[in-house]
Amino acid sequence: AQSVTQLDSQVPVFEEAPVELRCNYSSSVSVYLFWYVQYPNQGLQLLLKYLSGSTLVKGINGFEAEFNKSQTSFHLRKPSVHISDTAEYFCAVDLGGGGKLIFGQGTELSVKP
Amino acid sequence: DAGVTQSPTHLIKTRGQQVTLRCSPKSGHDTVSWYQQALGQGPQFIFQYYEEEERQRGNFPDRFSGHQFPNYSSELNVNALLLGDSALYLCASSRVFDVAKNIQYFGAGTRLSVL
């Protein structure tokens, strides 16, 4: 079965430090990949997406992610985090473009001063 | 430009009752998907509606049903509520002719508590 694994449930980091949130997926078909952010008591906001083309994609708020097909990974990175980045981050895949998103369990990013 | 709107924001029901949640898609979007997010979990796909028909369905029982109206808005109905149905219900909209770019925009959700 296709699945998405977010390797870290919690990532504590100090302000202005770099961060990487890891995501691996399993699929035998073409995939579209997404990262969403969820602030407390809110819905999901799209950070960035990989649909095709360049494997390095840039999103909002200074985040970027790299699609690695051989390692079936789509890790999210930010070179310098802010307190306001504290939130839950979800990796998601859309298998074949049908619009059914499969989400990982989420990674709680906690940025400390 | 209004985004995806959901109502109500919070709802409390008793076991065995029925509930209806509502969603208005983002302007220009014609496809609505529903997700259930249990506490501490990632969202799980319930079903997707396009042209007033259910196009895809996740692993949810028949107690979960939906509807899409001609104006593309949608309802999620849950019958015979169980305690385990307590969750945040998220609606997402997209545009079918962007299939290759099927980017879904989410509403803020409806928090359902079943007592």
Side-chain angles (χ1 to χ4, degrees):
Chain A
Q2 285 80 8
S3 67
V4 178
T5 302
Q6 291 185 240
L7 297 161
D8 307 291
S9 58
Q10 295 181 318
V11 173
V13 64
F14 287 106
E15 193 175 19
E16 297 183 7
V19 70
E20 178 180 79
L21 307 185
R22 298 179 293 169
C23 173
N24 285 91
Y25 67 92
S26 64
S27 174
S28 57
V29 299
S30 60
V31 296
Y32 302 93
L33 297 157
F34 305 85
W35 276 98
Y36 284 87
V37 61
Q38 186 175 36
Y39 299 101
N41 300 313
Q42 294 189 26
L44 302 176
Q45 180 182 5
L46 180 65
L47 272 180
L48 48 76
K49 61 191 178 294
Y50 171 78
L51 305 174
S52 65
S54 173
T55 57
L56 182 64
V57 293
K58 296 188 182 297
I60 62 172
N61 301 340
F63 284 93
E64 64 181 31
E66 185 162 16
F67 170 55
N68 188 318
K69 187 175 182 179
S70 62
Q71 297 186 4
T72 60
S73 68
F74 190 54
H75 300 333
L76 180 70
R77 302 185 183 103
K78 186 170 182 177
S80 176
V81 294
H82 303 289
I83 298 287
S84 60
D85 293 323
T86 295
E88 190 85 17
Y89 291 79
F90 292 96
C91 178
V93 300
D94 179 354
L95 304 174
K100 173 184 175 180
L101 290 177
I102 300 173
F103 284 86
Q105 293 287 83
T107 297
E108 181 184 348
L109 176 63
S110 177
V111 182
K112 304 180 186 304
Chain B
D1 176 23
V4 179
T5 58
Q6 294 186 242
S7 63
T9 54
H10 294 87
L11 206 49
I12 300 175
K13 290 288 187 179
T14 305
R15 273 185 306 173
Q17 287 188 313
Q18 178 265 344
V19 68
T20 298
L21 311 182
R22 296 177 175 81
C23 173
S24 293
K26 183 177 169 65
S27 178
H29 285 187
D30 52 18
T31 301
V32 173
S33 301
W34 287 91
Y35 293 82
Q36 180 195 66
Q37 185 179 19
L39 198 61
Q41 304 292 318
Q44 286 195 295
F45 177 80
I46 302 175
F47 43 52
Q48 181 185 78
Y49 276 83
Y50 169 65
E51 289 189 330
E52 303 178 47
E53 290 189 8
E54 183 182 293
R55 297 292 176 167
Q56 296 188 80
R57 190 178 183 90
N59 189 26
F60 278 81
D62 292 344
R63 297 187 298 109
F64 289 77
S65 63
H67 188 76
Q68 185 178 35
F69 299 93
N71 66 353
Y72 308 120
S73 67
S74 177
E75 288 181 349
L76 163 65
N77 301 293
V78 186
N79 294 322
L81 284 167
L82 304 173
L83 296 179
D85 295 331
S86 295
L88 180 68
Y89 288 85
L90 295 165
C91 170
S93 73
S94 56
R95 194 167 58 186
V96 72
F97 289 107
D98 282 342
V99 164
K101 315 172 188 177
N102 202 348
I103 302 164
Q104 298 188 34
Y105 294 86
F106 284 79
T110 294
R111 174 78 59 188
L112 173 64
S113 298
V114 182
L115 305 180

